[in-house]
Amino acid sequence: MPRTLTLRPSAKVNLTLRVGTRQASGFHDVRTVLQSIALHDTLTVSARRGPLGLVVGAPGVPSDRTNLVWRAAELLWRDAGRSGDPRDAHLRLEKAIPPAAGLGGGSADAAAALAGLNVIWDLRRSRRDLMRLGAELGSDVPFFFVGGTALGAGRGDEVYPLDDVARLSVVVIKPSFGVATADAYGWLDTDRAAGARDVRRAAREVEVGWPAGPIALENDLEGPVARRQAGVTEMVEACLSQGAIGAAMTGSGSAVFGLFAGTSAARAARRLAPPDRLVLVTRTHSRREAGRRIGL
């Protein structure tokens, strides 16, 4: 077995996110089209005698049991029937995916930890097994074992592969503020209870290379979040003004993404980069590319 694996879990954006009612479980029914992008973290997983170790090379990101990577290790260790705290592995996480942005960084890292430790500990769990465990860690985690373009249903943990979209450039804008997932869904519930209409922007239809035709970028959480954080709408409109063929908030925010055809993304990014925002240029990833990033 390899002594060290270097994995590069990809971030995601939600091309669409439609939110239904809140269930007794506390989760909402969702229908979402998820898309891998090339922006990634780096997780190095090494076989090493002794207690589990986790080092995180990012300020403000915990390296203890509150980190999803550590929780993934504990879950896989217990699932293998082993007692006590996990051991005999060392993990180092380098962050590039902004947190609290709706880009799935923590979930991607957890999926990579499950995949890497499955190999290092020689557990031989199937992809389906890892997806099942991932769903216990978070609704988005199973998607990262599928990657590319996929439909998420249920609370987002039921994942069905779709035809990969065409290769498109993606500009991601992360403002100085973050949005907690629970807050975004709570605001949606509050607005609906108060009788607020689900007012959506007139979403542009984006040609993504599907035989079924274009897709309209829509996110039911964008309105409630934008009502509390005006910068979201400003970022979406800024992307469109710079030539994006479509733009929307991803997940529960706070990041916004713009899709660009051709080579205009880098030029747009330079114009979209005020001092209080992080602007990143990346591209869509196919299912094969995303899978290779975490060793699948």
Side-chain angles (χ1 to χ4, degrees):
M1 303 304 295
R3 299 289 298 175
T4 299
L5 295 172
T6 300
L7 308 176
R8 297 177 176 83
S10 302
K12 62 83 178 170
V13 294
N14 298 78
L15 299 180
T16 68
L17 177 54
R18 308 304 298 271
V19 182
T21 58
R22 184 175 181 176
Q23 304 300 302
S25 65
F27 292 100
H28 294 73
D29 278 333
V30 303
R31 294 292 184 273
T32 179
V33 177
L34 300 136
Q35 175 61 49
S36 298
I37 57 176
L39 175 65
H40 66 87
D41 290 341
T42 301
L43 180 69
T44 304
V45 187
S46 303
R48 183 181 298 181
R49 295 282 186 184
L52 181 78
L54 172 61
V55 175
V56 181
V61 179
S63 58
D64 57 17
R65 283 178 169 82
T66 61
N67 191 301
L68 272 178
V69 167
W70 191 295
R71 289 171 54 195
E74 288 183 319
L75 183 62
L76 185 60
W77 185 262
R78 291 197 305 271
D79 187 73
R82 300 178 179 180
S83 60
D85 292 334
R87 54 186 296 110
D88 298 336
H90 184 271
L91 304 100
R92 181 173 183 86
L93 177 62
E94 299 289 341
K95 293 290 296 178
I97 305 172
L103 295 164
S107 296
D109 298 339
L114 290 172
L117 290 169
N118 184 48
V119 174
I120 292 296
W121 287 337
D122 194 21
L123 298 178
R124 305 187 185 187
R125 295 292 189 268
S126 68
R127 187 191 302 242
R128 183 180 295 275
D129 290 335
L130 297 177
M131 289 179 69
R132 171 182 55 81
L133 291 172
E136 296 185 36
L137 296 167
S139 299
D140 282 340
V141 178
F143 163 71
F144 295 98
F145 293 106
V146 176
T149 311
L151 173 68
R155 60 183 177 92
D157 58 333
E158 301 170 23
V159 184
Y160 305 93
L162 301 173
D163 288 345
D164 281 326
V165 302
R167 180 167 171 162
L168 294 168
S169 295
V170 182
V171 172
V172 175
I173 308 176
K174 168 62 172 69
S176 57
F177 59 88
V179 176
T181 300
D183 287 343
Y185 280 92
W187 294 335
L188 175 65
D189 289 340
T190 297
D191 289 356
R192 286 178 172 175
R197 292 184 301 120
D198 285 344
V199 178
R200 303 184 184 93
R201 289 178 298 100
R204 291 192 181 187
E205 291 194 334
V206 178
E207 186 58 62
V208 294
W210 282 350
I215 183 173
L217 306 189
E218 294 183 303
N219 184 342
D220 286 348
L221 296 177
E222 184 178 315
V225 173
R227 290 185 190 105
R228 280 84 178 174
Q229 298 285 0
V232 169
T233 300
E234 294 172 7
M235 291 185 295
V236 170
E237 292 175 348
C239 284
L240 295 174
S241 72
Q242 294 301 321
I245 59 176
M249 188 181 79
T250 178
S252 56
S254 60
V256 160
F257 68 96
L259 300 179
F260 290 79
T263 59
S264 59
R267 181 174 65 252
R270 289 193 295 271
R271 296 173 178 172
L272 291 168
D276 61 339
R277 294 175 184 167
L278 175 65
V279 179
L280 302 166
V281 181
T282 182
R283 65 174 179 85
T284 55
H285 248 183
S286 69
R287 181 162 300 109
R288 178 175 295 182
E289 289 173 313
R292 283 201 301 258
R293 288 286 185 90
I294 60 170
L296 298 175

